[in-house]
């Protein structure tokens, strides 16, 4: 059986010794060498936007790659401006003294190809047509991201990552890295992920896509040319996603059946609205202002298509027998979209493939979202594992 | 602790001794006495459409009321025409020799007020305007259904139901019956139901409603006048509902990751479609051809609003202390929308209120939908309970 990191429970994580990476600035890297995609199409040129935190050491051995999830991007930590309301999406876990310690590591966070935050994707101009790619942007698989990330590593002179780290869809990228480039990954941290999606997961993604594509403003994906935006569809898609990223218990604790307006008094016909209703609507609407619908479709399809062991005879043990790194797996008790059982399947396969693996199931009421949120045990286990990675790096340098 | 029916496991349900109620014909009852609704508005007149199966005995003591769920109606058993593709929605459980045995019971199945299958609802003409009620139809609560069903019982001369039976939203009606008219219910069968919805349940309903109301063809609910129909929104709403009525495991067994078209072969860019995708789309589309969107909104809101114990100081024990009937509770292991925990809460409250209750948790991979589907143990427990009801009726008659 996979064992939990024995040092984890002794870790106490203090807020006083941690800090922020401070102000950060996205970088941009253009690639003019064609990239052959899994679908067979070729992307003649593309740009990746990324951020880095910490310093690359002289032998370039302390680099860590952060792979983002469905709606993530390259801005994982710090702030772009002093008055930014929020820091990067994983700021709680990346910074000086944090689990991904920028005093130890050179952290690289990339906006994936096909994204809508600066890297080449559906909102970029297709040089062949002069219009946005829109629905004509090639269908991507997780391995395409890994290949494009490897080219960025080449540019940065990083031969081997000290760790490739990701949650959810990001964890799929981390696993794929361990098979596509076994010699280039020293550690693989896979959080709240799975070897492949279940039919239920695909069903939720399909319903979200239907909400988008059935919005008349979707215009067969050519909404930008039509100066439209399928906001309503994207909002419903996000609402569906949002519910499934939270747990029943977590929603119950946060909202219960509290009313936002109206009353259940007999004989009153004012509009009754629960808190959860307005919260969800707000979440949907906010998201529809910042995310590209074609990108949402592309990302969810990459999630659906991912199946780590498919080309290894559907045998995850055979797949992982190609890996050369150590693994840390983390899951969260109330995560029903990427349940602990899915992480256990990964752990079991790694064990059977004789790959060193640490696994911890973290108690949390926050569902799948837990991987983004503060949690003392999660921080402790993660920190302990990364400290060992840093220690071993230091020993190698000596 | 609630105990499971001890005779249940000895029941063997044979298909050879059961039959169909055969051809049935809906009936219609008009009510011209105003009905005061929980919201304070008054419905001046209304019609209920219903079906009956079996024969009412001379002392009118063998009547059983079937309360339907979200998308159900009065056509619970038998066929309207010989060439009907499918029988009524609960045909597996209603008929001669079946758990709700029409050789023993006179079964009444009503289309709820606000429904779209013949009873007065949003698609009916509002006599004040000459147009369909649409979004102006009064907001309904479960108790309004119970009150209107009681009036139908009056018309039929039924003073006391031998049993009031319902699954899901139907179970909520059965429970409400036991409190609103304690002397008129002898047995209450509550299947896969809950004392109230959780925040997650409300969240799913809200997302479904958003899908409907954000469809431009919704026209603020006046789509009939505009000769439109928000089909796309209703289809997405149904897809959301459909996923949540099934279990992850059930979907996995039925569809897994089987492809309907395309292939994962590297270098092919044909459209990849999973079986689950086309199945869900088909379900959504079919539903949008037969169900009224305003009715869907009305029914889901009644679900959200239901909270059995609200007016009893939020104490289900205090609520049930008003009941005078016996209860059978059934739940299904893989039902995550109305989980067994919800039925156990009902059972516990009944126990503490000193109300006789039998409870069985049925092993099933079919999720919430299990209450509609064949299942040997479910049939056995249900049948055993109803046999006792029939036996006691016979003894009373003697």
């Amino acid at each position: 059986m996979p064992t939990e990191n024995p040092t984890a429970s002794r870790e106490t994580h203090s807020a006083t010794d941690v800090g922020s990476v401070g102000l950060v600035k996205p970088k941009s890297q253009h690639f003019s060498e064609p990239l052959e995609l899994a679908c067979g199409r070729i992307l003649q040129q593309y740009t990746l936007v990324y951020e880095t935190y910490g310093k690359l050491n002289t032998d370039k051995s302390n680099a860590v790659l952060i792979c983002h999830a469905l709606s993530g991007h390259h801005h994982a930590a710090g702030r772009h401006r002093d008055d930014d309301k929020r820091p990067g999406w994983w700021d709680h876990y990346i910074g000086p003294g944090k689990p991904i310690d920028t005093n130890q590591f050179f952290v690289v966070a990339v906006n994936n190809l096909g994204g809508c935050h600066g890297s080449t994707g559906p909102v970029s101009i297709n040089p062949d047509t002069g219009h946005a790619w829109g629905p004509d942007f090639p269908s991507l698989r997780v391995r395409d991201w890994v290949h494009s990330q490897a080219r960025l590593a080449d540019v940065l002179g990083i031969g081997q990552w000290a760790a490739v780290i990701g949650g959810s869809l990001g964890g799929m990228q981390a696993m794929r890295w361990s098979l596509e480039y076994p010699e280039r990954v020293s550690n693989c941290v896979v959080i709240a992920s799975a070897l492949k999606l279940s039919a239920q997961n695909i069903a939720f993604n399909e319903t979200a896509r239907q909400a988008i594509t059935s919005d008349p403003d979707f215009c067969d994906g050519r909404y930008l040319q039509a100066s439209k935006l399928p906001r309503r569809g994207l909002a419903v898609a996000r609402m569906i996603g949002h519910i499934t990223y939270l747990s029943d218990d977590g929603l119950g604790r946060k909202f219960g059946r509290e009313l936002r307006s109206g009353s259940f008094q007999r004989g009153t016909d004012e509009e009754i609205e629960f808190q959860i209703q307005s919260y969800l609507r707000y979440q949907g609407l906010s998201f529809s202002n910042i995310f590209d619908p074609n990108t949402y479709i592309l990302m969810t399809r990459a999630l659906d298509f991912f199946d780590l062991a498919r080309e290894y005879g559907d045998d995850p043990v055979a797949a992982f027998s190609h890996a050369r790194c150590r693994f840390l797996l983390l899951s969260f008790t109330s995560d029903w979209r990427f349940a602990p059982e899915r992480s256990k399947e990964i752990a079991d396969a790694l064990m059977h493939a004789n790959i060193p693996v640490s696994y911890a199931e973290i108690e949390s009421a926050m569902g799948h979202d837990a991987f983004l949120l503060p949690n003392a045990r999660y921080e402790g286990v993660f920190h302990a594992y990364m400290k060992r990675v840093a220690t071993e790096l230091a020993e190698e340098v000596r």
Side-chain angles (χ1 to χ4, degrees), chain A residues 98-388:
Chain A
K98 294 179 180 176
I100 303 170
D101 190 343
T102 49
N103 291 330
Q104 307 284 348
F105 298 109
F106 175 68
V107 180
V108 180
V110 195
N111 182 213
N112 280 353
L113 204 57
C116 55
H117 291 86
S119 291
T120 300
V123 295
S124 309
I125 299 299
N126 176 353
D128 292 347
T129 65
H131 294 297
W133 279 98
D136 300 329
F137 196 83
S139 168
L140 295 178
R141 314 268 175 91
V142 167
R143 75 175 75 241
D144 296 320
W145 292 329
V146 169
H147 294 163
S148 60
Q149 289 157 356
R151 291 197 177 176
L152 179 63
D154 294 341
V155 170
L156 298 172
I158 297 161
Q160 188 189 50
W161 298 103
V164 178
I165 303 175
S168 192
L169 180 57
M172 293 172 170
Q173 294 162 58
M175 287 188 280
R176 184 61 77 196
W177 257 100
S178 77
L179 304 189
E180 292 287 304
Y181 301 105
E183 312 300 339
R184 300 189 72 169
V185 185
S186 184
N187 289 274
C188 190
V189 180
V190 180
I191 307 170
S193 194
L195 292 167
K196 59 186 174 191
L197 293 196
S198 70
Q200 189 191 59
N201 272 321
I202 296 172
F204 278 121
N205 285 341
E206 173 64 14
T207 307
R209 288 189 294 263
Q210 276 294 309
I212 295 169
T213 59
S214 70
D215 183 326
D217 290 340
F218 183 64
C219 307
D220 290 323
R222 299 184 200 285
Y223 43 85
L224 293 180
Q225 279 166 261
S227 299
K228 296 195 167 174
L229 199 59
R231 267 183 223 282
R232 293 161 299 205
L234 186 58
V236 169
R238 181 58 170 183
M239 289 172 73
I240 295 169
H242 205 75
I243 304 174
T244 67
Y245 302 146
L246 300 171
S247 70
D248 191 6
D249 191 31
L251 280 174
R253 289 191 204 187
K254 193 163 176 183
F255 301 103
R257 294 175 55 87
E258 291 301 310
L259 294 185
R260 183 162 187 272
S261 66
S263 115
F264 282 110
Q265 193 95 35
R266 281 179 87 154
T268 56
D269 74 341
E270 336 162 43
E271 182 76 356
I272 292 168
E273 190 175 58
F274 292 95
Q275 290 287 1
I276 178 69
Q277 291 177 258
S278 62
Y279 169 79
L280 264 188
R281 278 210 294 271
Y282 173 79
Q283 291 292 330
L285 208 65
S286 313
F287 188 73
S288 72
N289 287 325
I290 56 164
F291 209 85
D292 173 58
N294 279 319
T295 297
Y296 199 80
I297 292 170
L298 179 151
M299 295 277 172
T300 56
R301 287 181 70 79
L303 254 175
D304 288 0
F305 293 164
F306 182 76
D307 184 350
L308 189 83
R310 187 191 301 117
E311 68 208 82
Y312 301 91
D314 284 325
D315 178 4
V317 180
F320 280 128
S321 70
H322 297 270
R324 293 288 168 270
C325 61
R326 281 177 307 195
F327 283 77
L328 171 64
L329 303 180
L330 299 170
S331 68
F332 301 93
T333 49
S334 62
D335 183 354
W336 58 279
R337 189 116 190 222
F338 288 81
E341 285 65 34
R342 302 289 84 76
S343 285
K344 286 173 193 161
E345 285 165 5
I346 302 171
D348 284 358
L350 286 165
M351 298 284 288
H352 282 97
N354 271 318
I355 308 285
V357 51
S358 300
Y359 169 56
E361 185 176 323
I362 310 288
E363 190 75 37
S364 168
M366 305 311 292
H368 189 55
D369 265 3
F371 90 85
L372 299 165
L373 301 172
N375 177 310
R377 177 147 188 263
Y378 172 24
E379 292 163 35
V381 173
F382 198 176
H383 207 159
Y385 188 91
M386 294 305 293
K387 263 189 182 166
R388 194 181 66 180

Side-chain angles (χ1 to χ4, degrees), chain A residues 14-22 78 91-98 102-103:
Chain A
S14 155
T16 57
D17 58 2
V18 300
S20 166
V21 298
D91 191 79
H92 196 77
Y93 289 89
I94 303 171
K98 294 179 180 176
T102 49
N103 291 330

